[in-house]
Amino acid sequence: MNQKVEKPTLSGQRIKTRKRDEKEKYDPSGFRDAILQGLNEAGPNLDAVYKFLDTAGSKLDYRRYGEVLFDILLAGGHLAPGGTIVDDVDTSKPLRTDVCVFSAENNLESLKGYAQLITKLIRRYKYLEKTLEDEFKKVLVFLKAFSPSERTKLATVTSILIGSGLVPSVALTSCLQDHLIKDGIALEFLLDFFKTWLMEKDAPTLWTALRKAGLEIRLMEFFPTSRRTPEIFSETFKNHGMSSLLEYLKVHQSSSVKKDLQQQVAPLLKSDAPLKEILLLLKDYQNKHSLLENELAVLVWKTLMAAVEWNKKEELVAEQALKHLKKYSALLAAFTQGAKAELALLLKIQEYCYDNMNFMKVFRKIVVVLYKTDVLSEDVILKWYKEAHSSKGKTVFLEQMKKFVEWLHNAEEESEEED
């Protein structure tokens, strides 16, 4: 007798998803509509606007739609990629509001009001801080889509918020887009940013903010390629009434450029890179940042001497130093084509030997090596000996150089007699 085989069946309970676990549909348009309605009802009174935003934070999902919120507060509507306002299928819906930075009056007091509104909102909802940073990094890329007036207002608010520490200064690097640089928009934005900063703060705090973003030596990059010259750089700042800032920037920029160059050359020396490669880097920096020959001569010396771990024994350090300097004398020779650069280098050598006791007795030998390798000329050495030396270790070094200077004098006289 055939037994009927039972078919397997599924058993167990059907698990229902709890309502709170169901993922809400992403609906930026719905969020936008709610914010626009609230802002339009609050009107231009920013206290009423903050009261609405504060209350709405408990009902609307600021975590999820923070980007849309800041789009509206800055531009008046939800921004599409590129910087235009997002359209809606339903044409009866309002797409933007005038309660925003772009529609504010173009004066510092009105724009400070919006900056303070954003600040209060961030303090109330701390988790929005990162969203605000990302918003500025994004919106500065869209500058071309905005009108000149809107860009000026945005620069003012950006300056105030970076100045208060709410937005990191690294956001400014978003302006360094080829299309913004080419059209002069990046430079225009930067100058407006500087103007506001100087009204609220001063040059040293601006320099600190630029350094944090690594922009203190990149300001020339905001200029269109054809306008990247020291003359145009200076003229631009003067024409915008920022001569005092220009002087401050020049002094501190030079120092930062030199430090950056040293940091790039040092590993090349340690890895025994070809002289041609190091020289190319130095020349490139000289042209790019308009460094003077005497500045580079001193800089190369400092970098060369910092690249070696010197022997502690005085009798061995001389041999070590002379060998090292002979090897890299071509680098020094490249930036001592003029007498001013030669003298600057010789004074730096004197200072170095005075500050480093192990080198006190090596000074003359270093000068002789650099004379033989055409880094230092006879005329400059004699000038240094007679009148241009420093007071540091003067007696010791002049005594060391006495016989060599006499030899130079005799050689000069013999040469004159032969002529």
Side-chain angles (χ1 to χ4, degrees), residues 89 149 308 310 314 365:
V89 180
S149 171
V308 178
W310 299 110
E314 194 177 313
K365 292 178 180 178

Side-chain angles (χ1 to χ4, degrees), residues 26 28 64-86 102 130-146 154 158 167-168 170-177 179-180 189:
Y26 182 65
R64 201 171 188 195
Y65 301 110
E67 183 186 349
V68 181
L69 174 63
F70 289 125
D71 278 353
I72 294 168
L73 290 176
L74 292 176
H78 183 197
L79 293 176
T84 55
I85 300 292
V86 173
F102 283 4
K130 183 67 173 73
T131 311
L132 182 67
E133 178 186 337
D134 294 338
E135 174 71 13
F136 273 86
K137 285 179 180 176
K138 177 195 79 175
V139 87
L140 296 191
V141 176
F142 299 160
L143 287 176
K144 194 169 184 176
F146 310 141
L154 183 60
T158 305
V167 174
V170 74
L172 287 172
T173 57
S174 294
C175 295
L176 292 172
Q177 311 292 320
H179 65 286
L180 298 177
F189 185 88

Side-chain angles (χ1 to χ4, degrees), residues 110-217:
S110 298
L111 294 166
K112 274 174 88 170
Y114 276 94
Q116 285 161 6
L117 171 68
I118 292 170
T119 303
K120 282 161 72 178
L121 191 62
I122 295 294
R123 285 178 183 161
R124 175 70 179 84
Y125 298 100
K126 194 74 178 166
Y127 57 79
L128 284 174
E129 204 168 307
K130 183 67 173 73
T131 311
L132 182 67
E133 178 186 337
D134 294 338
E135 174 71 13
F136 273 86
K137 285 179 180 176
K138 177 195 79 175
V139 87
L140 296 191
V141 176
F142 299 160
L143 287 176
K144 194 169 184 176
F146 310 141
S147 70
S149 171
E150 289 169 346
R151 290 197 290 264
T152 301
K153 292 172 189 177
L154 183 60
T156 301
V157 171
T158 305
S159 185
I160 295 166
L161 292 177
I162 288 178
S164 67
L166 208 61
V167 174
S169 53
V170 74
L172 287 172
T173 57
S174 294
C175 295
L176 292 172
Q177 311 292 320
D178 290 343
H179 65 286
L180 298 177
I181 295 167
K182 184 183 174 185
D183 295 340
I185 294 171
L187 177 59
E188 176 193 89
F189 185 88
L190 186 74
L191 292 169
D192 286 335
F193 176 93
F194 284 173
K195 277 180 192 172
T196 303
W197 191 290
L198 294 173
M199 280 191 269
E200 294 289 292
K201 291 175 174 283
D202 54 19
T205 54
L206 176 57
W207 179 256
T208 303
L210 292 172
R211 279 189 65 191
K212 284 180 181 176
L215 286 172
E216 80 279 17
I217 60 170

